Amino acid sequence: MAAFVAVADERHFGRAAERLGTVQPAVSQLVRRLERELDVLLFDRSSHHVALTGVGHELLPIARQALSARDAIAETAAAAVRGAQGVLRIGTSVGIGVNLNLLLARFAERRPRAQVRLQSMHTPGKLRALRGGDLDLAFLRVPPATPGVHTVELWSEALVAVLPASHPLSAADEVRLEHLSSLPLILGPASSNPGVRAQLLTLCRDRGLEPRLGPALGDLQEAFGVISTGAAWTLLTETNALAPPVGIAVRPIAGAPARTSVDLAWRGSGTDALVRAFVELAVQARDAGDLLPSGTQIS
């Protein structure tokens, strides 16, 4: 196709060969091959001139479009390999927002032609999607070791006690967990994030409390509603407890700092340039101290 367009532009096989960086016999062979494939004559040839036939005139605009599309495909493919553009599918969850927004803004500055699609789901779903190729990256709390998935810790957040505002401990500067034994502890279902649930139960036991578990609740709004009635309490990250509704008290936990981590995860094989670029950016932000360690402090 390129040989046809070059000869049509130059009206000369020799000049077309120079333009294409090859020799005249090669150009003649390519044009004849195209004519055989299409079963048409593209040029009237003589010893003095080369002219397009009627069919050649009709096909020339289409040939130019085909070459332009081919060049666009090649450019897009090369840009994707360089990590300049493409689609990055990232799994997220509640409470990741502050640092995620910072990373997305920086990524947009470095890769303005890349598209990012966020998908919110629970940890097991994110891990399945990563391994199955439906996600490229995922932010995870307390991820389990998973074959075929690499992780890197980016930041950690303080855990806080969330209790009814009517509870006597709501006025304390900090809460000793063993003093909450009279109330059931409500947590999300184990199916949502078994690692976080196990971490929170271990924290309670390490602080002298064998928690009495209430029914598993699926979202923060429902949890806040139950807690505000005085019927239960829970543990949350500072980020998830930043703006508690009326009837809720949020207090630091007494004793050694209680924290949970947020990791970035990606498939261990077949990682493309766009994924590598985001991972590198995230690690650079972590190492530079740009990621908030625990959200806005709660007073």
Side-chain angles (χ1 to χ4, degrees):
M1 199 68 69
F4 167 47
V5 172
V7 174
D9 288 345
E10 302 293 340
R11 295 294 196 271
H12 192 279
F13 279 86
R15 290 194 296 271
E18 292 178 5
R19 169 172 156 179
L20 296 173
T22 186
V23 295
Q24 181 173 332
V27 174
S28 299
Q29 183 178 2
L30 288 170
V31 172
R32 287 196 177 93
R33 182 185 301 170
L34 181 61
E35 289 177 325
R36 287 195 301 270
E37 290 174 357
L38 300 177
D39 195 22
V40 298
L41 190 65
L42 297 172
F43 296 102
D44 286 326
R45 301 167 175 86
S46 75
S47 59
H48 301 293
H49 73 282
V50 175
L52 283 165
T53 64
V55 175
H57 275 292
E58 291 185 29
L59 293 181
L60 183 58
I62 300 173
R64 292 191 194 282
Q65 292 175 4
L67 285 179
S68 178
R70 184 196 67 181
D71 293 342
I73 290 171
E75 180 184 353
T76 300
V81 170
R82 296 192 303 269
Q85 68 181 49
V87 177
L88 199 60
R89 302 159 301 171
I90 303 177
T92 65
S93 55
V94 175
I96 303 296
V98 176
N99 286 324
L100 175 60
N101 291 341
L102 181 147
L103 293 175
L104 291 179
R106 292 191 178 179
F107 189 70
E109 292 175 358
R110 297 190 186 183
R111 299 289 191 276
R113 297 171 65 184
Q115 299 179 48
V116 175
R117 296 176 184 168
L118 302 179
Q119 300 180 42
S120 180
M121 59 181 74
H122 296 311
T123 293
K126 284 186 277 194
L127 289 172
R128 286 193 300 270
L130 278 175
R131 296 188 66 186
D134 296 320
L135 283 179
D136 303 303
L137 294 160
F139 288 90
L140 304 169
R141 283 194 172 93
V142 198
T146 304
V149 174
H150 289 321
T151 62
V152 61
E153 183 177 332
L154 293 183
W155 72 90
S156 67
E157 293 189 65
L159 292 165
V160 292
V162 180
L163 58 151
S166 59
H167 195 283
L169 291 177
S170 66
D173 292 335
E174 56 184 17
V175 171
R176 300 188 66 85
L177 296 187
E178 64 267 29
H179 293 165
L180 290 168
S181 58
S182 62
L183 284 180
L185 169 66
I186 54 174
L187 300 173
S191 59
S192 297
N193 193 329
V196 166
R197 184 182 174 93
Q199 182 188 46
L200 297 181
L201 291 174
T202 298
L203 171 65
C204 290
R205 289 161 184 152
D206 289 346
R207 301 297 171 94
L209 172 67
E210 184 59 45
R212 178 163 54 93
L213 293 177
L217 298 177
D219 58 55
L220 286 179
Q221 192 65 35
E222 188 177 1
F224 284 147
V226 172
I227 293 169
S228 67
T229 67
W233 71 284
T234 193
L235 291 162
L236 292 177
T237 64
E238 280 191 326
T239 300
N240 282 334
L242 283 180
V246 174
I248 299 292
V250 178
R251 292 293 177 264
I253 299 170
R259 308 186 70 84
T260 187
S261 66
V262 175
D263 290 20
L264 182 62
W266 66 96
R267 284 190 304 282
S269 61
T271 303
D272 64 22
L274 208 58
V275 172
R276 290 196 300 271
F278 193 94
V279 172
E280 290 171 3
L281 179 149
V283 172
Q284 288 170 2
R286 179 201 66 186
D287 293 346
D290 296 334
L291 299 180
L292 298 176
S294 59
T296 303
Q297 294 298 313
I298 298 173
S299 59

